[in-house]
Amino acid sequence: MELLSFFEFYQLNEMNIARNWKDSEKEEFLNLQYENLIEALDSLKKHKIKAWCDCGTLLGLYRDKGLISGDSDSDIGVLAEDMKADYVDDFSDNLTSNGSMFFTPAAFLKICEADDDTKYVIPKGFKYQMKKKGKFKTFKGKPIMSDLFMYYPHKKDRLYLYVSDYFRTHGANVEGATKKVTVKGQSFPLPSNPEKHLEATYGKGWKTPDPNFKGNYAKAEVYGGPLKTKDLGGRYHYNFKTGKYVIK
């Protein structure tokens, strides 16, 4: 038996999480995703952290005027320097992570509290998961959650780390004031240049839906990546005290 690579496993189990569900189940899952996305965005707004809908969530809301059915979670982008310790402390019960791909609240707060401007860390983000009656909300065993991708400075770009790859966009696409789109009577924030950001992420053909797309960028010509460590010339590390980064 041939074992699946992590990326192949991800394609089968994350990008098509609802492929065998009934239409009613897909709709219920989608409504829960909307609820979690709105709650996560409101949590960031409470602490005046600029955020925008990102990746597949942005693609669905901007192009299709709705979340893409079957996607495993929703995605939000924030600038790394805008993330605040007060926010992480306030919503620590919702920021879930195993600590490998995303920050745990405790680890991030420790970084912020340390009086050390020599501490550099890898560019992680957070996961936000809503609770109902004190318990994390799930559907058919699947957690309802949003990825909070923190975009770190790199030359004139912004990048984040996901699994072992880096993904990037031009800084001008996300550093300006956010825009808005209204879907299902709800206003959602967009990056400052949503079309250029989508082009960097998915290529020039992002406007045309591809029913066969499973998250494999191997043959796609996109600026955004994925990029390997060798493409950057080393591993990226960021200093939250100084706002500077090093490649080593």
Side-chain angles (χ1 to χ4, degrees):
M1 181 180 68
E2 183 178 357
L3 294 176
L4 295 176
S5 67
F6 174 83
F7 200 75
E8 290 169 330
F9 176 84
Y10 177 83
Q11 290 175 19
L12 289 173
N13 293 279
E14 293 297 311
M15 296 300 295
N16 300 281
I17 191 71
R19 62 190 182 281
N20 295 321
W21 291 358
K22 297 176 182 178
D23 288 344
S24 60
E25 292 173 330
K26 293 179 182 179
E27 183 177 1
E28 184 175 353
F29 182 63
L30 199 64
N31 288 335
L32 287 170
Q33 285 185 301
Y34 272 113
E35 186 178 353
N36 190 82
L37 174 63
I38 292 168
E39 183 178 309
L41 289 168
D42 284 346
S43 74
L44 292 160
K45 186 177 180 180
K46 176 183 176 181
H47 285 268
K48 298 181 180 180
I49 298 174
K50 183 183 79 172
W52 62 89
C53 297
D54 204 23
C55 301
T57 301
L58 172 64
L59 183 65
L61 292 174
Y62 188 78
R63 184 191 66 189
D64 306 331
K65 300 301 183 285
L67 295 180
I68 297 175
S69 180
D71 202 354
S72 64
D73 55 20
S74 56
D75 305 303
I76 297 171
V78 301
L79 299 180
E81 63 268 28
D82 287 347
M83 184 54 66
K84 300 175 181 178
D86 287 348
Y87 167 77
V88 175
D89 186 45
D90 194 6
F91 290 93
S92 60
D93 287 345
N94 299 96
L95 299 174
T96 61
S97 172
N98 60 11
S100 59
M101 292 166 50
F102 298 89
F103 285 118
T104 63
F108 185 81
L109 291 173
K110 186 176 180 180
I111 292 169
C112 295
E113 293 167 358
D115 186 17
D116 183 0
D117 60 5
T118 65
K119 178 69 173 179
Y120 286 81
V121 297
I122 62 175
K124 297 181 180 182
F126 287 99
K127 276 188 178 291
Y128 186 98
Q129 188 175 354
M130 67 180 179
K131 285 187 170 183
K132 296 293 184 182
K133 297 181 179 179
K135 296 182 179 180
F136 289 119
K137 183 64 180 177
T138 63
F139 182 76
K140 293 178 71 68
K142 170 63 183 175
I144 309 300
M145 56 192 178
S146 298
D147 287 336
L148 305 185
F149 293 122
M150 291 167 62
Y151 279 74
Y152 295 78
H154 179 248
K155 299 179 180 179
K156 294 183 179 181
D157 291 334
R158 289 282 177 161
L159 61 75
Y160 65 88
L161 179 67
Y162 188 73
V163 189
S164 60
D165 295 329
Y166 299 94
F167 293 85
R168 66 182 176 182
T169 191
H170 298 295
N173 294 341
V174 297
E175 291 172 349
T178 56
K179 297 182 177 180
K180 302 290 183 181
V181 65
T182 300
V183 175
K184 299 179 68 171
Q186 176 73 33
S187 179
F188 293 94
L190 307 176
S192 49
N193 195 329
E195 296 201 357
K196 287 294 184 182
H197 184 51
L198 284 167
E199 181 178 322
T201 305
Y202 295 106
K204 293 183 178 180
W206 67 267
K207 294 182 180 180
T208 303
D210 180 2
N212 297 316
F213 181 75
K214 296 181 179 180
N216 190 346
Y217 292 84
K219 296 182 180 180
E221 295 183 5
V222 295
Y223 180 78
L227 303 173
K228 302 296 183 181
T229 300
K230 64 179 181 180
D231 297 321
L232 294 184
R235 295 186 181 277
Y236 182 101
H237 294 78
Y238 181 76
N239 188 305
F240 278 94
K241 290 291 185 182
T242 65
K244 296 180 179 180
Y245 69 89
V246 294
I247 305 293
K248 58 182 181 179

